[in-house]
């Protein structure tokens, strides 16, 4: 496989949008899927489908083996110490809700502080907001600076003896800022504060190694990693897997069930209640195969090249205001256009086959700070090339023409 | 070309230079709305007299060209009319957007019909329908509030 | 389509298990998928995939339209009054957790009673157990009688002024008993008590009409309805959709998000946080198409014929003990075999290509009452025929032979 | 044929007539285990003397033929031996199940090796491995408890 003609691996690029080739610049929202991943889903349903972990017949055994083999694969990919540290969820959103709920139940009390940043996606704020309302905890927001970065010094200042958890994004889905997560984890470790990292934007674009990062929790959405939708991965350090109470209740997560009491499975399965998304899990191993064949570092450097090209190109257009100028930027390019609302931009670009996203990108607090109700966002995936950027740039010009009339 | 239908000159003009923007003096009713998906906001103010006439009508808002134009056109057409007119034109308008019907109200001038019909291009853009209808729904709830 | 040769529609039946044709009798665990459903998933990923409800470009619009069209289809299928009453979840388990959490938060207090039955699957017990531990509520269990039925009189007796909710299964996944849910709902209505029905086993096998049943909540797992895994449907009466607080927090379910407060979407979307299982939702409309083409009543009567045939056949074998003799039985046939443990049965049957399930089927309380740690379960789907039952019966005899040596 | 490998006569015999069933008199150590997935249970009792010899060893349990046979075979082979033997045979046994190795311990009789090896058929049935290993893990934790 070669990144240069990688579009061929993705069936979606066969079609035309409004008669034009698809220029997909919405991967931060969700990535497209390579054929191997799509085929795996159908092959699995056609030849091997069964519910996992419940029956002992051949199909069930095959399904369970594939399912658990994917857990092993994810463990290796993330360089987690134990396979039990890999928990499958519905998505990053559920992963963070799980942690907030289970950790919160046991460790958050009135007056305790939860430290997040102004960059956070609603998925990494609302679950903590619930604890604030229910437990009387406080949420502190590390500020985002003019460049769209969060400074470690500002996080340091906000840590107090009451800080019970730090929850931060790996890469901002708006400013594209890559946060110094390893340093933040080191800082937190000194004070014995666990750290959750919202890796939704980090995982698809960077080499992630749980031993190097050292965080306690890392949340991933598989659908942004060239994988199926409806599936997430929560990495949870073993000490928490053993320690935290379960989340949803149902089949498969119990030890003993009696009328007056219930005891729970001791390991990761306590967090996986009910029938799982077996086909999604099984096919996600193909997403990891895809990423590993190309190499995540090659993917990242390819994306970076396209991103730099895009920044350069768009900066030449005086009407374009690029949001943020972080020290390190990860595959997200938010912008506004003088006198044209982002929704109008998105609709007009779509007419040229260019798919971007407009809105607050589930970051209302950040947009309030930016003084912008909405921005337009072009985000890069492995399949994008410079031509896509050229088309984006042309489409923006068309958009300006329409509004200049 | 559909896109040209959506971004007609009338709309671009109303979007750039919205009429009746601001908070009108002595308003008696108002209502706000907000589309959480995209962040568009509108706040309608209206001054109703004893005869159920809309003496004054204005709006504040943030949003795309479609939503601003829609609010602007609404205020321009409804200002000075009575409540029963508002309800009829509202029905007519929402019907046009939803069911592709024509504006039927015969008390409108041809110019007004052209203006209001310019918003019908939104039919082909389902994700933008709310941009076009929000002000109209909000105006109705301002009236119904009291 | 014709039920007689419906196996052709299911690719899974092309393969051999241990050299023998697959006899799939584990549909109560999860049903197999027709080709139309599987193909829809790949077609969607190949041609139309995008995240739903977040972008305005062509792919996003197509995806959102298909997604919401499925909601409409489910609404019609269930004869729900409003489309907002249909909430997509990860499965029946999540659906019940959602209700227990949201309803519980607002309406369950210390000393309040939750009324369930001894038949319940862990999914319809553990979520209520959480409320018991957290809120100091009480759970009352309506008894199962000798035949494996729950009598409405016994439910009546347990209702008190403190009963805040009744949560019962539609069809038992062990005894197969079809509960008199409409009567139970009528009874509850008199006392103004909301009713949740765990329809996981009911929905695949019976005509369900929310207006006729009249319940407040009805939980469904799509993977047992010839649909994709990882997807469930929660029917929630509009009054509760408007009234109950949200469940998980994240993108798409908010109204306004500020640093000091958050307000939530007013309608069903407040219960659908984060990126949804779009491909699964879209393909589930094909499952409903499949069911509608055959007609759910025809499916039910076909399944019933096979079930009756199975009961008759198995009763002739004196070593077989069939669990339960309910007034009305729905496509589940649990049994034990003299001196042979259910797990051994399942393993040995599998060698003949016959897939059944053995264990407590996530109903430990019921199994404790039955005095059996485990049972073997054959469960019927639309694709089963009398030949499958003959093979089951033969395989059981082989099993007995092995153990008689 | 694999199934015949799993349900060998020795296993069926031990499953039907498990040796050393019950609670042995004067036991000094015990441990319970339970497989929540299938409901299998085992409770190991053992009487350890000062010389670290397993004077008596028995089990109570509910479960499939494999799990009963496995517990029965365990007790039969280990009873009267010392702790170091228990640990070695346990390693050997788990290795056989997991890595398809042979039983290497040379203090066993050929008969004993045949008996214990009869459980190796479970290798081909991954969902049943736990049935075969539960008693062995539990015996070890009974010893390690004190
Ligand atoms: C009666 C009943 N309720 C609930 C469930 C849980 O369904 P799911 O695991 O699909 O969430 C099942 C399925 O195992 C069931 O049979
Ligand atoms: C930074 C960030 N966090 C969390 C999420 C939520 O992910 P999901 O919707 O897949 O659960 C997203 C995606 O929208 C995101 O960009």
């Amino acid at each position: 496989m070669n990144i240069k003609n990688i579009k061929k691996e993705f069936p979606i690029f066969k079609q035309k949008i409004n008669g034009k080739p698809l220029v997909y610049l919405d991967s931060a929202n969700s990535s497209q899927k390579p054929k191997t991943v799509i085929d795996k889903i159908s092959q699995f349903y056609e030849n091997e489908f069964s519910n996992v972990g419940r029956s002992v017949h051949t199909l069930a055994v095959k399904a369970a083996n594939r399912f658990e083999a994917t857990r092993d694969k994810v463990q290796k990919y993330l360089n987690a110490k134990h396979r039990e540290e890999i928990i499958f969820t519905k998505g990053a959103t559920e992963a963070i809700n799980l942690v907030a709920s289970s950790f919160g139940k046991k460790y958050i009390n009135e007056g305790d502080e939860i430290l997040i940043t102004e960059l956070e996606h609603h998925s990494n704020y609302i679950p903590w907001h619930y604890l604030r309302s229910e437990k009387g905890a406080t949420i502190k927001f590390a500020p985002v600076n003019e460049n769209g970065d969060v400074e470690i010094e500002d996080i340091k200042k906000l840590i107090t003896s009451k800080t019970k958890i730090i929850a931060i994004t790996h890469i901002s889905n708006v400013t594209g800022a890559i946060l110094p997560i390893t340093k933040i984890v080191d800082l937190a470790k000194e004070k014995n504060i666990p750290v959750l990292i919202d890796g939704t934007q980090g995982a698809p674009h960077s080499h992630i190694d749980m031993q190097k990062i050292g965080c306690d929790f890392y949340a991933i959405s598989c659908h942004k990693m060239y994988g199926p939708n409806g599936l997430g991965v929560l990495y949870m350090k073993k000490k928490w897997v053993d320690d935290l109470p379960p989340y949803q209740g149902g089949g498969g997560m119990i030890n003993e069930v009696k009328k007056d009491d219930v005891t729970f499975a001791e390991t990761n399965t306590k967090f996986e209640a009910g029938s799982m998304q077996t086909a999604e899990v099984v096919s996600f191993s193909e997403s990891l195969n895809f990423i590993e064949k190309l190499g995540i570092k090659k993917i990242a450097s390819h994306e970076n090249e396209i991103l730099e090209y895009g920044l350069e190109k768009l900066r030449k257009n005086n009407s374009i205001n690029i949001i943020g100028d972080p020290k390190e930027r990860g595959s997200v390019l938010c912008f506004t256009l003088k006198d044209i609302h982002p929704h109008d931009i998105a609709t007009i670009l779509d007419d040229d086959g260019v798919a971007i996203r407009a809105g607050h990108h589930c970051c209302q607090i950040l947009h309030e700070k930016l003084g912008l109700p909405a921005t337009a966002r072009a985000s890069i995936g492995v399949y994008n090339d410079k031509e896509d950027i050229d088309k984006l740039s042309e489409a923006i010009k068309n958009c300006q023409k329409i509004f200049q009339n | 070309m559909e896109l040209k239908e959506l971004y007609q000159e009338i709309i671009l003009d109303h979007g750039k230079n919205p009429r009746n923007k601001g908070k009108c003096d002595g308003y008696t009713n108002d209502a706000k709305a907000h589309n959480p998906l995209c962040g568009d906001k509108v706040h309608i103010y209206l001054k109703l007299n004893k005869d159920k006439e809309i003496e004054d009508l204005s709006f504040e808002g943030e949003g795309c060209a479609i939503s601003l134009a829609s609010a602007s056109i609404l205020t321009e057409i409804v200002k000075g009319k009575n409540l029963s007119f508002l309800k009829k034109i509202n029905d007519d308008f929402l019907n046009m957007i939803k069911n592709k019907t024509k504006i039927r109200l015969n008390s409108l001038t041809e110019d007004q019909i052209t203006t209001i019909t310019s918003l019908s291009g939104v039919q082909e853009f389902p994700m933008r329908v709310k941009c076009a209808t929000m002000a109209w729904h909000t105006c109705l709830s301002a009236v119904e509030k009291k």
Side-chain angles (χ1 to χ4, degrees), chain A, chain B:
Chain A
M1 267 192 308
N2 187 327
I3 288 190
K4 287 267 172 277
N5 46 28
I6 203 74
K7 274 197 170 109
K8 280 194 316 193
E9 313 277 335
F10 292 78
I12 198 94
F13 293 110
K14 280 193 197 136
Q15 73 184 301
K16 300 263 187 256
I17 300 289
N18 300 316
K20 283 143 205 150
L22 168 63
V23 175
Y24 190 74
L25 291 166
D26 197 19
S27 295
N29 187 2
S30 194
S31 65
Q32 295 296 341
K33 324 300 172 203
K35 189 152 171 45
T36 49
V37 172
I38 303 173
D39 286 352
K40 189 80 210 165
I41 299 177
S42 25
Q43 280 164 20
F44 178 72
Y45 276 130
E46 290 186 358
N47 304 316
E48 297 180 340
F49 177 77
S50 167
N51 217 343
V52 145
R54 309 241 195 291
S55 295
V56 300
H57 55 73
T58 301
L59 289 176
V61 172
K62 277 193 196 172
N65 287 349
R66 285 206 185 279
F67 187 92
E68 294 302 333
T70 305
R71 200 190 299 276
D72 293 335
K73 204 174 169 72
V74 175
Q75 178 202 341
K76 267 200 203 140
Y77 186 80
L78 298 181
N79 193 21
K81 267 202 187 136
H82 308 274
R83 65 191 313 280
E84 295 78 15
E85 295 180 328
I86 307 304
I87 296 159
F88 290 114
T89 66
K90 187 159 110 182
T93 298
E94 177 167 276
I96 301 170
N97 277 274
L98 190 164
V99 176
S101 167
S102 292
F103 181 87
K105 217 169 268 172
K106 191 154 176 182
Y107 291 108
I108 303 277
N109 295 305
E110 199 177 328
D112 284 345
E113 293 171 5
I114 296 153
L115 178 47
I116 70 173
T117 82
E118 289 179 345
L119 281 176
E120 300 312 316
H121 188 279
H122 295 160
S123 289
N124 197 22
Y125 169 40
I126 319 278
W128 308 111
H129 165 74
Y130 288 162
L131 289 177
R132 176 168 66 186
S133 345
E134 280 162 33
K135 298 264 198 158
T138 301
I139 299 178
K140 288 199 170 172
F141 294 84
V144 57
N145 70 15
E146 281 179 351
N147 298 329
D149 271 321
V150 174
E151 299 285 350
I152 187 144
E153 283 310 311
D154 285 325
I155 291 184
K156 207 168 191 169
K157 276 185 221 153
L158 288 171
I159 294 178
T160 75
S161 61
K162 288 182 175 171
T163 310
K164 285 291 151 65
I165 191 164
I166 300 177
I168 45 166
T169 193
H170 186 169
I171 301 184
S172 161
N173 64 322
V174 175
T175 70
I178 301 178
L179 267 63
I181 52 169
T182 312
K183 284 188 196 147
I184 295 169
V185 170
D186 288 345
L187 177 67
K189 265 191 192 153
E190 278 171 30
K191 323 234 172 191
N192 236 331
I193 303 167
V195 178
L196 173 139
I197 294 175
D198 173 359
T200 319
Q201 297 297 340
H205 305 294
S206 35
H207 172 67
I208 38 174
D209 179 325
M210 293 306 120
Q211 300 317 307
K212 281 195 191 139
I213 299 176
C215 58
D216 299 82
F217 310 99
Y218 193 97
I220 293 173
S221 267
C222 300
H223 69 96
K224 308 204 195 211
M225 286 183 84
Y226 313 111
N229 58 203
L231 183 68
V233 168
L234 172 62
Y235 162 82
M236 184 189 284
K237 223 179 224 172
K238 179 125 192 326
K239 89 179 224 211
W240 299 112
V241 173
D242 295 341
D243 179 62
L244 294 183
Y247 181 51
Q248 295 181 336
M253 48 73 78
I254 53 91
N255 177 36
E256 205 158 16
V257 177
K258 295 190 175 290
K259 274 191 181 173
D260 54 355
D261 200 17
V262 175
T263 56
F264 299 102
E266 270 165 19
T267 180
N268 56 316
T269 49
K270 77 177 153 196
F271 300 112
E272 293 177 349
S275 298
M276 295 300 285
Q277 314 95 306
T278 313
E280 282 70 26
V281 170
V282 165
S283 73
F284 184 56
S285 75
E286 289 300 330
S287 314
L288 292 181
N289 281 341
F290 172 80
I291 291 174
E292 283 178 336
K293 263 189 201 160
L294 289 172
I296 185 69
K297 287 178 186 172
K298 272 206 186 138
I299 294 177
S301 82
H302 167 76
E303 289 173 344
N304 214 41
E305 194 187 326
I306 307 303
L307 184 73
E308 286 302 327
Y309 181 78
L311 283 166
E312 201 182 311
K313 188 116 194 172
L314 264 49
R315 279 198 184 114
K316 285 188 189 141
N317 183 331
N318 287 330
S319 304
I320 295 180
N321 168 36
I322 290 174
I323 308 300
D325 187 18
K327 286 180 214 132
E328 283 188 279
R329 184 193 282 265
S331 53
V332 163
L333 207 168
C334 264
F335 63 95
T336 55
L337 209 50
K338 203 162 164 296
D339 295 333
I340 310 181
H341 191 278
H343 278 106
D344 296 316
I345 304 175
T347 296
I348 294 168
L349 261 55
D350 181 58
D351 199 60
D352 283 332
V354 179
I356 64 156
R357 185 173 168 192
H360 52 59
H361 316 296
C362 300
C363 294
Q364 283 193 3
I365 287 172
L366 177 62
H367 277 80
E368 177 133 348
K369 178 124 180 186
L370 293 170
L372 294 167
T375 52
R377 181 180 73 188
S379 53
I380 314 286
V382 62
Y383 29 64
N384 291 120
D385 49 29
K386 291 187 181 167
E387 213 178 301
D388 289 343
I389 298 293
D390 293 341
K391 283 179 186 158
L392 166 69
S393 168
E394 279 312 300
I396 292 176
K397 283 180 195 154
N398 284 341
C399 176
Q400 289 175 292
K401 259 184 236 153
I402 288 179
F403 270 75
Q404 268 152 18
N405 281 343
Chain B
M1 192 213 195
E2 286 165 7
L3 195 66
K4 292 251 166 81
E5 293 287 318
L6 184 61
Y7 292 101
Q8 291 181 34
E9 233 169 274
I10 305 179
I11 293 193
L12 293 173
D13 172 44
H14 275 271
K16 261 185 249 174
N17 313 298
R19 328 295 196 253
N20 304 304
K21 225 182 155 189
K23 209 180 279 187
C24 64
D25 285 344
Y27 66 88
T28 56
N29 296 46
D30 74 310
K32 283 202 275 196
H34 158 228
N35 182 348
L37 229 62
C38 62
D40 282 4
K41 282 178 192 169
V42 68
H43 195 155
I44 300 274
Y45 301 90
L46 93 205
K47 187 173 173 189
L48 217 59
N49 67 18
K50 287 178 217 139
D51 302 333
K52 306 260 180 193
E53 279 160 3
I54 299 165
E55 266 185 33
D56 207 350
L57 175 58
S58 70
F59 81 101
E60 288 174 340
E62 270 170 13
C64 60
I66 312 296
S67 74
L68 293 180
S70 175
S72 169
I73 290 170
L74 161 77
T75 58
E76 202 180 56
I77 287 180
V78 171
K79 197 154 103 177
K81 300 283 165 60
N82 63 17
L83 278 195
S84 114
F85 174 89
L86 169 64
K87 281 177 191 158
K88 279 189 202 138
I89 186 70
N90 223 310
D91 280 356
D92 244 27
F93 175 76
L94 296 175
N95 239 322
M96 174 182 80
I97 301 289
K98 255 178 90 174
N99 307 322
K100 316 203 177 193
T101 55
K102 292 206 169 152
I103 295 292
R104 277 167 294 197
L105 210 65
N106 47 26
S107 57
L108 291 180
T109 66
E110 211 153 298
D111 243 27
Q112 285 178 317
I113 291 186
T114 311
T115 304
I116 197 169
T117 305
S118 71
L119 285 160
S120 68
V122 86
Q123 288 160 0
E124 306 298 329
F125 298 83
M127 307 299 275
R128 308 300 303 278
V129 163
K130 222 175 169 179
C131 310
T133 58
M134 192 160 75
W136 297 73
H137 285 300
T138 311
C139 188
L140 219 55
S141 46
V143 165
E144 283 163 358
K145 246 187 188 169
K146 279 204 180 175

